[in-house]
Amino acid sequence: MAPKTEQAGGNLTPAEWKVMKIVWKYRDDGCSARDVYTEAAKTEGWAPTTCKSVLHRLVEKGILQARPVGTSHLYKPAASVVKSLLAAADDLLGNILEGTTGLVVTHILEKCELTDTELDRLRKLIEERTGTGKTGGKRKTPN
């Protein structure tokens, strides 16, 4: 059965995110099911069969690629962690109810520690969206 093509990172279950975090640690080298269940046993208390089931689902969804190596498989992400996180953010934004966007964005910002560069980028975006500049001008209104 050919894997489905799904947006990278969209609609992953919490268990699938946990496995993906382990796989992404291996970067481009890929990892074996043993690598995943060894770490997941320590962090989550999962049995090897649980990990193998989650890995299989991720391959079916097209989130992971599996290459046979001997009697096992080497697993690699189909997309980068950034691409997958952005897809998950897009999925979240697609489910936000009208009038709650600001609350959700504020909540995310309160939960995150941002670098000075990230904060500068956010300030610039806010300035562009509101029409205010470094001079402290007021919001521009459309004519």
Side-chain angles (χ1 to χ4, degrees):
M1 175 199 251
K4 299 175 192 172
T5 54
E6 186 170 300
Q7 189 176 12
N11 299 315
L12 292 182
T13 67
E16 290 168 344
W17 276 110
K18 288 174 184 177
V19 168
M20 288 306 299
K21 285 181 183 180
I22 294 169
V23 175
W24 280 316
K25 286 181 185 180
Y26 286 85
R27 306 265 181 223
D28 295 329
D29 297 333
C31 67
S32 67
R34 180 182 300 271
D35 295 326
V36 174
Y37 65 71
T38 298
E39 187 163 339
K42 292 177 194 171
T43 61
E44 306 299 326
W46 289 355
T49 53
T50 302
C51 295
K52 288 177 184 178
S53 294
V54 175
L55 286 166
H56 179 74
R57 279 198 322 257
L58 289 165
V59 170
E60 287 294 311
K61 287 183 171 185
I63 305 296
L64 279 181
Q65 299 170 340
R67 180 172 54 90
V69 177
T71 59
S72 187
H73 287 85
L74 190 64
Y75 296 93
K76 287 187 174 187
S80 70
V81 65
V82 171
K83 185 174 181 178
S84 298
L85 290 171
L86 292 176
D90 287 345
D91 187 50
L92 173 64
L93 289 172
N95 290 314
I96 288 180
L97 297 175
E98 186 176 329
T100 62
T101 305
L103 292 171
V104 173
V105 171
T106 301
H107 176 77
I108 291 170
L109 289 172
E110 288 172 345
K111 296 287 184 178
C112 298
E113 290 195 26
L114 301 173
T115 66
D116 289 341
T117 302
E118 291 166 331
L119 288 169
D120 287 342
R121 187 171 175 202
L122 281 172
R123 283 186 198 97
K124 183 178 178 186
L125 179 62
I126 291 168
E127 289 171 1
E128 289 172 359
R129 290 281 179 103
T130 61
T132 59
K134 296 199 182 233
T135 61
K138 297 201 178 202
R139 183 178 181 161
K140 294 179 184 174
T141 54
N143 293 340

PDB file of all heavy atoms in Angstrom, residues 63-75:
ATOM      1  N   ILE A  63       4.587  10.968   6.690  1.00  0.00           N
ATOM      2  CA  ILE A  63       5.376  11.863   7.536  1.00  0.00           C
ATOM      3  C   ILE A  63       6.804  11.324   7.689  1.00  0.00           C
ATOM      4  O   ILE A  63       7.757  12.073   7.789  1.00  0.00           O
ATOM      5  CB  ILE A  63       4.724  12.027   8.934  1.00  0.00           C
ATOM      6  CG1 ILE A  63       3.274  12.504   8.806  1.00  0.00           C
ATOM      7  CG2 ILE A  63       5.537  12.949   9.828  1.00  0.00           C
ATOM      8  CD1 ILE A  63       3.089  13.865   8.207  1.00  0.00           C
ATOM      9  N   LEU A  64       6.921  10.004   7.705  1.00  0.00           N
ATOM     10  CA  LEU A  64       8.226   9.345   7.768  1.00  0.00           C
ATOM     11  C   LEU A  64       8.443   8.531   6.501  1.00  0.00           C
ATOM     12  O   LEU A  64       7.491   8.020   5.903  1.00  0.00           O
ATOM     13  CB  LEU A  64       8.294   8.373   8.954  1.00  0.00           C
ATOM     14  CG  LEU A  64       8.570   8.918  10.327  1.00  0.00           C
ATOM     15  CD1 LEU A  64       8.617   7.776  11.343  1.00  0.00           C
ATOM     16  CD2 LEU A  64       9.847   9.722  10.376  1.00  0.00           C
ATOM     17  N   GLN A  65       9.707   8.394   6.147  1.00  0.00           N
ATOM     18  CA  GLN A  65      10.110   7.495   5.071  1.00  0.00           C
ATOM     19  C   GLN A  65      10.843   6.334   5.720  1.00  0.00           C
ATOM     20  O   GLN A  65      11.631   6.533   6.653  1.00  0.00           O
ATOM     21  CB  GLN A  65      11.030   8.218   4.093  1.00  0.00           C
ATOM     22  CG  GLN A  65      10.375   9.406   3.424  1.00  0.00           C
ATOM     23  CD  GLN A  65      11.363  10.259   2.654  1.00  0.00           C
ATOM     24  OE1 GLN A  65      12.564  10.205   2.883  1.00  0.00           O
ATOM     25  NE2 GLN A  65      10.835  11.069   1.747  1.00  0.00           N
ATOM     26  N   ALA A  66      10.574   5.131   5.258  1.00  0.00           N
ATOM     27  CA  ALA A  66      11.226   3.936   5.801  1.00  0.00           C
ATOM     28  C   ALA A  66      12.003   3.252   4.687  1.00  0.00           C
ATOM     29  O   ALA A  66      11.478   2.995   3.604  1.00  0.00           O
ATOM     30  CB  ALA A  66      10.182   2.987   6.376  1.00  0.00           C
ATOM     31  N   ARG A  67      13.286   2.969   4.982  1.00  0.00           N
ATOM     32  CA  ARG A  67      14.140   2.279   4.018  1.00  0.00           C
ATOM     33  C   ARG A  67      14.613   0.975   4.659  1.00  0.00           C
ATOM     34  O   ARG A  67      15.172   0.986   5.762  1.00  0.00           O
ATOM     35  CB  ARG A  67      15.335   3.163   3.665  1.00  0.00           C
ATOM     36  CG  ARG A  67      16.293   2.528   2.662  1.00  0.00           C
ATOM     37  CD  ARG A  67      17.354   3.504   2.195  1.00  0.00           C
ATOM     38  NE  ARG A  67      18.112   4.139   3.258  1.00  0.00           N
ATOM     39  CZ  ARG A  67      19.247   3.659   3.777  1.00  0.00           C
ATOM     40  NH1 ARG A  67      19.757   2.526   3.326  1.00  0.00           N
ATOM     41  NH2 ARG A  67      19.879   4.307   4.719  1.00  0.00           N
ATOM     42  N   PRO A  68      14.363  -0.165   3.984  1.00  0.00           N
ATOM     43  CA  PRO A  68      14.809  -1.442   4.557  1.00  0.00           C
ATOM     44  C   PRO A  68      16.332  -1.495   4.695  1.00  0.00           C
ATOM     45  O   PRO A  68      17.061  -1.115   3.787  1.00  0.00           O
ATOM     46  CB  PRO A  68      14.330  -2.483   3.548  1.00  0.00           C
ATOM     47  CG  PRO A  68      13.380  -1.785   2.646  1.00  0.00           C
ATOM     48  CD  PRO A  68      13.694  -0.340   2.700  1.00  0.00           C
ATOM     49  N   VAL A  69      16.777  -1.952   5.852  1.00  0.00           N
ATOM     50  CA  VAL A  69      18.201  -2.171   6.112  1.00  0.00           C
ATOM     51  C   VAL A  69      18.292  -3.506   6.851  1.00  0.00           C
ATOM     52  O   VAL A  69      17.948  -3.593   8.025  1.00  0.00           O
ATOM     53  CB  VAL A  69      18.818  -1.036   6.973  1.00  0.00           C
ATOM     54  CG1 VAL A  69      20.269  -1.336   7.293  1.00  0.00           C
ATOM     55  CG2 VAL A  69      18.680   0.311   6.289  1.00  0.00           C
ATOM     56  N   GLY A  70      18.713  -4.516   6.124  1.00  0.00           N
ATOM     57  CA  GLY A  70      18.763  -5.855   6.724  1.00  0.00           C
ATOM     58  C   GLY A  70      17.356  -6.309   7.073  1.00  0.00           C
ATOM     59  O   GLY A  70      16.454  -6.256   6.247  1.00  0.00           O
ATOM     60  N   THR A  71      17.173  -6.698   8.337  1.00  0.00           N
ATOM     61  CA  THR A  71      15.850  -7.150   8.782  1.00  0.00           C
ATOM     62  C   THR A  71      15.052  -6.030   9.445  1.00  0.00           C
ATOM     63  O   THR A  71      13.981  -6.267   9.987  1.00  0.00           O
ATOM     64  CB  THR A  71      16.006  -8.311   9.784  1.00  0.00           C
ATOM     65  OG1 THR A  71      16.781  -7.846  10.891  1.00  0.00           O
ATOM     66  CG2 THR A  71      16.661  -9.521   9.138  1.00  0.00           C
ATOM     67  N   SER A  72      15.589  -4.830   9.395  1.00  0.00           N
ATOM     68  CA  SER A  72      14.933  -3.685  10.033  1.00  0.00           C
ATOM     69  C   SER A  72      14.671  -2.589   9.005  1.00  0.00           C
ATOM     70  O   SER A  72      14.801  -2.812   7.796  1.00  0.00           O
ATOM     71  CB  SER A  72      15.833  -3.158  11.160  1.00  0.00           C
ATOM     72  OG  SER A  72      15.163  -2.165  11.891  1.00  0.00           O
ATOM     73  N   HIS A  73      14.326  -1.414   9.482  1.00  0.00           N
ATOM     74  CA  HIS A  73      14.118  -0.247   8.630  1.00  0.00           C
ATOM     75  C   HIS A  73      14.839   0.952   9.232  1.00  0.00           C
ATOM     76  O   HIS A  73      14.985   1.062  10.447  1.00  0.00           O
ATOM     77  CB  HIS A  73      12.623   0.100   8.511  1.00  0.00           C
ATOM     78  CG  HIS A  73      11.856  -0.837   7.662  1.00  0.00           C
ATOM     79  ND1 HIS A  73      11.329  -2.008   8.139  1.00  0.00           N
ATOM     80  CD2 HIS A  73      11.538  -0.788   6.345  1.00  0.00           C
ATOM     81  CE1 HIS A  73      10.710  -2.630   7.169  1.00  0.00           C
ATOM     82  NE2 HIS A  73      10.823  -1.916   6.067  1.00  0.00           N
ATOM     83  N   LEU A  74      15.249   1.852   8.358  1.00  0.00           N
ATOM     84  CA  LEU A  74      15.824   3.116   8.774  1.00  0.00           C
ATOM     85  C   LEU A  74      14.765   4.177   8.494  1.00  0.00           C
ATOM     86  O   LEU A  74      14.265   4.272   7.374  1.00  0.00           O
ATOM     87  CB  LEU A  74      17.102   3.412   7.978  1.00  0.00           C
ATOM     88  CG  LEU A  74      17.946   4.575   8.457  1.00  0.00           C
ATOM     89  CD1 LEU A  74      18.493   4.305   9.858  1.00  0.00           C
ATOM     90  CD2 LEU A  74      19.089   4.819   7.494  1.00  0.00           C
ATOM     91  N   TYR A  75      14.416   4.944   9.506  1.00  0.00           N
ATOM     92  CA  TYR A  75      13.351   5.939   9.395  1.00  0.00           C
ATOM     93  C   TYR A  75      13.936   7.337   9.297  1.00  0.00           C
ATOM     94  O   TYR A  75      14.831   7.700  10.067  1.00  0.00           O
ATOM     95  CB  TYR A  75      12.418   5.862  10.609  1.00  0.00           C
ATOM     96  CG  TYR A  75      11.693   4.554  10.694  1.00  0.00           C
ATOM     97  CD1 TYR A  75      12.210   3.489  11.440  1.00  0.00           C
ATOM     98  CD2 TYR A  75      10.504   4.352  10.009  1.00  0.00           C
ATOM     99  CE1 TYR A  75      11.549   2.275  11.504  1.00  0.00           C
ATOM    100  CE2 TYR A  75       9.831   3.137  10.074  1.00  0.00           C
ATOM    101  CZ  TYR A  75      10.362   2.111  10.821  1.00  0.00           C
ATOM    102  OH  TYR A  75       9.715   0.910  10.875  1.00  0.00           O
TER     103      TYR A  75
END
